[in-house]
């Protein structure tokens, strides 16, 4: 996640209270932009679309006439989510996994390290409703799964919904966690230093004047989790879950397994229509009291390598398929393309426009009372923890 902050706001520690934010619990403080006055507009903007390990090579942009508006930008703030998987004993460019804890579910010879999925190692214990660690002390277990039709996690018996069965994910790898077992510390003095480069393309905003419309419409954030509102979920090994999870696990023709979850909600639930301070929380992004819905402009489904198969967004009322995300995986041809890491997932988003010159589908008109439906499919031949299936979208209001 990242913020651009304008002259009308400053970064400050505030209470984490939004139900849509990852990892919120009572008493937690988070760094967020706070406007200097109640009259500030476009004092900050939030970026999350196409984030995570799937960010590189995934398209980040909007059609003509749309933008995230920011007034007098002054600062850029980033909350990186990164895990060090560098095998210090491997001098080649080919991936070879380093040490992994006993709880890792990555199969031998996998193109990824099992610590990417934050397995709960022997450093972790569960005490009085909290997850405790040698590294970060104790934090409240705060994952709450919705009943159907909000999500199928509970009916599927997903391990994510219960502290007793939780076996991996964000709760086991907060900031500065060590993701190896206690007896594993192969390179105590070999640190990794890395650099990140960001490039922002911007255009000057021209406001409405002399009956000529403004140059850009501001895009409001629309967000939902198929795993509502756990923020992540468990992918059980198919051979163990097949026939025992209310049909979530299916066997494919080639003998592999898939695991499917779904969620149903109304478009208005993606934001807080009645009580939403859009200026200082990432969970909402606009004043909607006089609007009837949104025109969809950008939709990015978020799911992880190595086992993401697809994620679809439907209008339940009309039967219209709005967006189908199919990840494209790297082949490992790093000699000709240094970004083509084997197994790396690129996620092409769905983008709409009413500008015929852009050759894009026409933007869907979605009223706030429309029923939306998400279907996420993951390969479950092997187990995985910390998987996600969220929708990070942008839309323009209509009245």
């Amino acid at each position: 996640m990242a913020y651009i902050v304008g002259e009308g706001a400053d970064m400050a520690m505030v209470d984490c209270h939004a139900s849509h934010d990852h990892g919120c619990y009572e008493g937690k403080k988070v760094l967020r932009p706070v406007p200097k006055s109640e009259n500030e507009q476009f004092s900050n903007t939030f970026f999350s679309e196409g984030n995570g390990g799937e960010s590189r090579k995934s398209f980040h942009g909007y059609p003509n006439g749309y933008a995230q508006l920011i007034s007098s930008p002054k600062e850029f703030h980033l909350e990186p989510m990164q895990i060090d998987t560098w095998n210090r004993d491997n001098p080649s460019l080919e991936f070879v996994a380093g040490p992994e804890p006993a709880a890792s579910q990555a199969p031998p010879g996998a193109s990824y390290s099992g610590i990417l999925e934050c397995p709960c190692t022997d450093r972790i214990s569960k005490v009085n409703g909290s997850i405790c660690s040698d590294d970060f002390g104790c934090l409240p277990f705060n994952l709450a799964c919705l009943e159907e039709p909000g999500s199928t996690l509970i009916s599927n018996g997903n391990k994510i919904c219960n502290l007793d069965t939780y076996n991996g994910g964000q709760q086991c790898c907060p900031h500065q966690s060590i993701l190896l077992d206690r007896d594993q510390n192969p390179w105590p003095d070999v640190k990794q230093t890395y650099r990140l480069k960001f490039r922002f393309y911007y255009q000057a905003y021209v406001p409405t004047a002399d009956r000529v419309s403004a140059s850009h419409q501001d895009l409001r954030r629309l967000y939902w989790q198929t795993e509502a509102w756990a923020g992540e979920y468990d992918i059980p090994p198919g051979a163990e879950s097949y026939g025992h999870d209310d049909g979530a696990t299916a066997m494919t023709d080639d003998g592999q397994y898939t695991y499917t979850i779904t969620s149903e909600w109304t478009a208005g639930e993606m934001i807080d229509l009645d009580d939403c301070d859009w200026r200082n929380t990432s969970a909402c992004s606009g004043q909607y009291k006089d609007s009837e819905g949104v025109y969809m402009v950008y939709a990015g489904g978020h799911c992880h390598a190595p086992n993401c198969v697809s994620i679809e967004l439907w209008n339940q009322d009309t039967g219209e398929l709005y967006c189908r995300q199919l990840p494209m995986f790297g082949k490992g041809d790093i000699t000709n393309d240094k970004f083509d890491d084997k197994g790396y997932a690129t996620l092409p988003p769905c983008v709409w426009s009413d500008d015929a010159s852009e050759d894009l589908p026409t933007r869907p008109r979605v009223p706030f009372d429309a029923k939306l439906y998400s279907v996420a499919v993951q390969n479950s031949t092997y187990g995985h923890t910390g998987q996600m299936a969220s929708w990070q979208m942008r839309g323009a209001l209509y009245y």
Side-chain angles (χ1 to χ4, degrees), residues 249-264:
T249 301
M251 183 181 292
T252 62
D253 292 340
D254 59 357
Q256 298 197 60
Y257 294 92
T258 61
Y259 185 80
T260 301
I261 66 169
T262 66
S263 177
E264 182 183 309

Side-chain angles (χ1 to χ4, degrees), residues 9 48 129 140 168 285 328 366:
S48 72
S285 51
M328 302 169 60
V366 184

Side-chain angles (χ1 to χ4, degrees), residues 83-140:
I83 296 173
D84 179 7
T85 63
W86 175 32
N87 182 352
R88 277 70 165 169
D89 292 333
N90 175 35
S92 75
L93 295 178
E94 298 293 332
F95 175 81
V96 178
E100 298 179 68
S104 169
Q105 298 184 78
S111 61
Y112 63 97
S113 168
I115 67 174
L116 280 178
E117 300 177 328
C118 295
C120 296
T121 70
D122 65 3
R123 296 172 178 269
I124 299 294
S125 59
K126 301 171 182 178
V127 181
N128 296 328
S130 295
I131 287 187
C132 302
S133 167
D134 301 350
D135 307 311
F136 56 78
C138 293
L139 296 174

Side-chain angles (χ1 to χ4, degrees), residues 40-217:
E40 294 290 348
Q41 282 194 317
F42 311 122
S43 64
N44 64 86
T45 191
F46 172 75
F47 297 91
S48 72
E49 290 70 23
N51 69 344
E54 301 74 20
S55 179
R56 194 179 70 213
K57 298 183 77 174
S58 295
F59 177 73
H60 298 79
Y62 303 127
N64 292 333
Y66 296 101
Q68 291 178 236
L69 299 184
I70 176 71
S71 178
S72 303
K74 65 175 182 178
E75 298 176 28
F76 175 66
H77 288 266
L78 174 69
E79 296 182 12
M81 299 179 184
Q82 294 183 299
I83 296 173
D84 179 7
T85 63
W86 175 32
N87 182 352
R88 277 70 165 169
D89 292 333
N90 175 35
S92 75
L93 295 178
E94 298 293 332
F95 175 81
V96 178
E100 298 179 68
S104 169
Q105 298 184 78
S111 61
Y112 63 97
S113 168
I115 67 174
L116 280 178
E117 300 177 328
C118 295
C120 296
T121 70
D122 65 3
R123 296 172 178 269
I124 299 294
S125 59
K126 301 171 182 178
V127 181
N128 296 328
S130 295
I131 287 187
C132 302
S133 167
D134 301 350
D135 307 311
F136 56 78
C138 293
L139 296 174
F141 183 77
N142 61 341
L143 302 184
C145 302
L146 292 186
E147 296 277 0
E148 289 193 72
S151 177
T152 52
L153 292 180
I154 293 177
S155 60
N156 294 344
N158 198 277
K159 292 180 179 180
I160 202 74
C161 301
N162 190 298
L163 175 60
D164 292 336
T165 56
Y166 186 84
N167 64 344
Q170 293 179 96
Q171 301 276 299
C172 284
C173 62
H175 185 50
Q176 294 186 329
S177 298
I178 295 175
L179 297 177
L180 299 175
D181 288 327
R182 289 190 179 99
D183 62 350
Q184 296 175 299
N185 191 16
W187 310 291
D189 300 318
V190 184
K191 307 297 183 182
Q192 182 178 26
T193 300
Y194 61 90
R195 294 172 176 84
L196 301 174
K197 182 171 73 173
F198 297 84
R199 182 181 290 116
F200 289 89
Y201 296 89
Y202 70 93
Q203 297 172 328
Y205 174 73
V206 180
T208 300
D210 299 326
R211 298 184 179 181
V212 177
S213 299
S215 58
H216 299 80
Q217 286 184 266

Side-chain angles (χ1 to χ4, degrees), residues 243-385:
H244 304 288
D245 55 10
D246 199 31
T249 301
M251 183 181 292
T252 62
D253 292 340
D254 59 357
Q256 298 197 60
Y257 294 92
T258 61
Y259 185 80
T260 301
I261 66 169
T262 66
S263 177
E264 182 183 309
W265 71 101
T266 59
E269 292 181 81
M270 292 189 287
I271 42 86
D272 297 316
L273 290 171
D274 299 318
D275 183 19
C276 183
D277 187 351
W278 62 275
R279 297 161 303 160
N280 59 14
T281 174
S282 64
C284 80
S285 51
Q287 296 167 326
Y288 297 89
K289 294 187 184 297
D290 298 323
S291 59
E292 298 179 6
V294 294
Y295 288 108
M296 299 284 289
V297 175
Y298 176 103
H302 177 75
C303 55
H304 299 165
N307 65 311
C308 180
V309 175
S310 65
I311 177 170
E312 298 177 344
L313 179 65
W314 293 79
N315 184 316
Q316 189 84 320
D317 297 327
T318 65
E320 179 182 1
L321 175 63
Y322 284 150
C323 183
R324 175 183 285 124
Q325 298 256 230
L326 299 173
M328 302 169 60
F329 293 98
K331 304 300 183 184
D333 185 17
I334 56 177
T335 302
N336 297 310
D337 180 358
K338 63 182 179 181
F339 296 128
D340 190 39
D341 301 274
K342 186 176 181 181
Y344 185 93
T346 301
L347 292 163
C350 296
V351 183
W352 299 270
S353 174
D354 282 345
D355 186 339
S357 67
E358 295 192 282
D359 194 28
L360 292 171
T362 301
R363 57 185 187 174
R365 187 175 188 270
V366 184
F368 284 138
D369 62 357
K371 289 184 180 179
L372 304 181
Y373 185 69
S374 177
V375 183
V377 182
Q378 312 283 353
N379 187 308
S380 63
T381 305
Y382 298 99
H384 303 271
T385 53

